[in-house]
Amino acid sequence: MEKSSKTQASSLTVFGRQESLCLKGIAIIMLICHHCFMRPSRYKGQDLIFIIPEPIWNYVALFFKICVCIFVFISAYGITSKIKNSSVSEDQLPLYVRNVIISRLIRLLGGFIFVFLLVDLFGFFYDPGRFAEIYGTSFPGSVEYFFIDMLGLAHLLETPTFLGTYWYYSLAIIIVLIVPAFYLLLRRMGTVPFLGLIAVINFTVSIPNRDFWHYLLCIAVGVVCAHNNTIARIVNFQVVKSSKTGCFIKFVIECILMFLLMILRQGPLMGPLYPLWDALFPVIIAAFCCEFIFIIPGLRQILIFLGIYSANIFLVHNYIRKVWFYDFTYSFKYPLGIITVLFMISLILSILIEQLKKILHYNQFINFLVSKSAQQ
């Protein structure tokens, strides 16, 4: 009994909060690369120097769109784990789920709104015409568009948005709302029937929101992996009795699997099977990184640090790259230089944003809202 409890405790920490931050750190690096070099039109008019052939940069950067499914997977996994690992009774579960949803929404939108307003304040002085350019000048229409955008709903409601990158927050809101329902459904149906049902819905039902269609199966897989401790099972699985040989074999197999998934995802069936590829990849990369990457001293701490600031980096980097400092971003000529400079500036801004939150006691305010919204 004691051995069983130790094994369970170990499995739960294989992909815990720190590991999810590490994976976010990797995903945010992929995101920067993806946005900078996914196609030549991203740096149109810029005189760049490619040591590695340009088509390879474009191919890999386009594939790095998988950063989105990684973020989706982490979100679904985290919410499910929180509900699953709660000690509440069945009678208290609906109220607990309600509190989890509200808490997640407050924290999600709290972080987004702070940066949204901060950037708009900067834009008011640096680019005063952008508000009217995006939202129009009619009243109250422009104000309504502004508040819809501030709540992360612009993409969902198909209204104007200050920055196209904000589309993810509409998906993030859907994830918070749908994951608890998926989890409760999974507990009643079992893994195979649940995944079968979601797959059938994903590939047969017309969903107007294309991004929700892309990641519906990924959300379901994240829920299943958290419920079944799938990442821990993959990491703890022994191919052969010899630990060193087994680790080497698993390393090779998982590298081959990721490479094959990249080829398949970028191939002729990229469009029709988009949800499948982006549901499978996060599972493999999470298990691979937990076993072989996150254990590297130093690198683990760096990735955790980047993961902590990943949300702010996501929110500010495209203002630098695309909106206001396009020529400056690509003036560093070499792709690695461009990515490094953009990433470092975005990281510094992200750190400053968090420091400003501390000065304004913003996080305490968010915690206050969360505590007030909770019902016992």
Side-chain angles (χ1 to χ4, degrees):
M1 185 72 175
E2 185 181 353
K3 183 179 180 181
S4 175
S5 63
K6 285 182 179 179
T7 303
Q8 184 179 12
S10 174
S11 68
L12 290 174
T13 57
V14 167
F15 191 61
R17 183 177 182 276
Q18 288 194 344
E19 288 74 23
S20 67
L21 285 174
C22 286
L23 196 55
K24 285 181 181 180
I26 291 175
I28 200 65
I29 296 171
M30 289 180 172
L31 177 78
I32 298 291
C33 182
H34 171 70
H35 281 168
C36 286
F37 296 105
M38 62 183 290
R39 60 178 67 95
S41 60
R42 287 290 168 122
Y43 43 88
K44 185 178 181 180
Q46 303 296 318
D47 184 21
L48 303 187
I49 300 172
F50 290 92
I51 297 176
I52 298 173
E54 182 180 1
I56 294 178
W57 270 103
N58 296 151
Y59 185 90
V60 174
L62 182 60
F63 171 68
F64 278 175
K65 178 69 182 276
I66 59 157
C67 64
V68 179
C69 68
I70 292 174
F71 284 123
V72 169
F73 178 85
I74 293 171
S75 296
Y77 192 102
I79 296 171
T80 304
S81 294
K82 186 173 182 63
I83 298 173
K84 176 193 172 187
N85 297 328
S86 66
S87 57
V88 300
S89 64
E90 286 295 321
D91 293 338
Q92 296 174 318
L93 187 59
L95 180 59
Y96 180 79
V97 168
R98 176 254 183 210
N99 289 339
V100 168
I101 291 173
I102 294 177
S103 170
R104 287 274 177 164
L105 287 176
I106 290 174
R107 296 189 188 281
L108 174 73
L109 293 178
F112 173 68
I113 290 171
F114 188 87
V115 179
F116 179 89
L117 294 176
L118 198 62
V119 169
D120 277 17
L121 180 63
F122 174 83
F124 179 78
F125 295 100
Y126 187 82
D127 187 8
R130 186 168 176 81
F131 184 95
E133 178 186 343
I134 298 297
Y135 302 120
T137 55
S138 63
F139 183 84
S142 57
V143 177
E144 291 173 347
Y145 288 150
F146 172 82
F147 279 105
I148 289 173
D149 201 13
M150 187 178 71
L151 293 174
L153 297 171
H155 184 71
L156 192 62
L157 301 179
E158 298 182 346
T159 54
T161 180
F162 206 69
L163 184 68
T165 312
Y166 292 165
W167 73 267
Y168 181 79
Y169 276 82
S170 289
L171 177 61
I173 290 169
I174 291 174
I175 292 171
V176 173
L177 294 174
I178 203 172
V179 163
F182 273 12
Y183 173 68
L184 296 175
L185 184 62
L186 169 63
R187 292 206 316 170
R188 287 186 174 274
M189 295 184 65
T191 300
V192 175
F194 170 74
L195 285 178
L197 174 64
I198 301 303
V200 168
I201 292 173
N202 210 163
F203 288 106
T204 61
V205 177
S206 177
I207 301 175
N209 187 299
R210 195 67 176 170
D211 293 308
F212 182 48
W213 177 82
H214 281 165
Y215 301 108
L216 179 63
L217 189 58
C218 179
I219 296 170
V221 168
V223 173
V224 167
C225 285
H227 181 258
N228 295 332
N229 286 330
T230 305
I231 305 300
R233 292 185 179 188
I234 296 173
V235 171
N236 293 329
F237 177 75
Q238 293 184 336
V239 181
V240 294
K241 289 184 178 180
S242 172
S243 59
K244 290 185 179 180
T245 305
C247 282
F248 176 75
I249 293 173
K250 284 179 71 177
F251 181 88
V252 172
I253 291 174
E254 289 173 9
C255 284
I256 292 173
L257 283 175
M258 286 189 288
F259 179 76
L260 288 176
L261 272 178
M262 180 179 71
I263 300 299
L264 291 170
R265 189 185 181 279
Q266 303 301 99
L269 293 177
M270 176 182 179
L273 294 182
Y274 193 116
L276 177 62
W277 309 135
D278 280 24
L280 293 175
F281 196 87
V283 181
I284 299 173
I285 194 172
F288 177 82
C289 289
C290 284
E291 188 165 6
F292 301 110
I293 305 299
F294 300 157
I295 60 172
I296 301 174
L299 179 59
R300 178 184 178 86
Q301 285 68 31
I302 291 171
L303 290 175
I304 289 174
F305 180 77
L306 298 182
I308 290 171
Y309 294 102
S310 59
N312 288 341
I313 294 172
F314 169 78
L315 288 171
V316 302
H317 80 280
N318 255 345
Y319 285 109
I320 303 165
R321 184 198 69 81
K322 179 183 177 184
V323 179
W324 289 319
F325 304 104
Y326 175 77
D327 289 334
F328 169 79
T329 300
Y330 289 100
S331 67
F332 293 89
K333 302 295 184 181
Y334 296 91
L336 283 178
I338 292 165
I339 291 169
T340 301
V341 171
L342 177 59
F343 193 90
M344 293 306 298
I345 293 174
S346 302
L347 177 60
I348 292 169
L349 288 174
S350 300
I351 294 171
L352 292 175
I353 288 169
E354 290 305 313
Q355 291 303 311
L356 182 59
K357 286 181 182 179
K358 288 182 180 180
I359 294 171
L360 298 175
H361 300 287
Y362 185 75
N363 290 331
Q364 287 91 324
F365 172 67
I366 294 298
N367 291 334
F368 171 78
L369 292 180
V370 170
S371 64
K372 283 296 182 182
S373 68
Q375 290 184 0
Q376 301 299 325

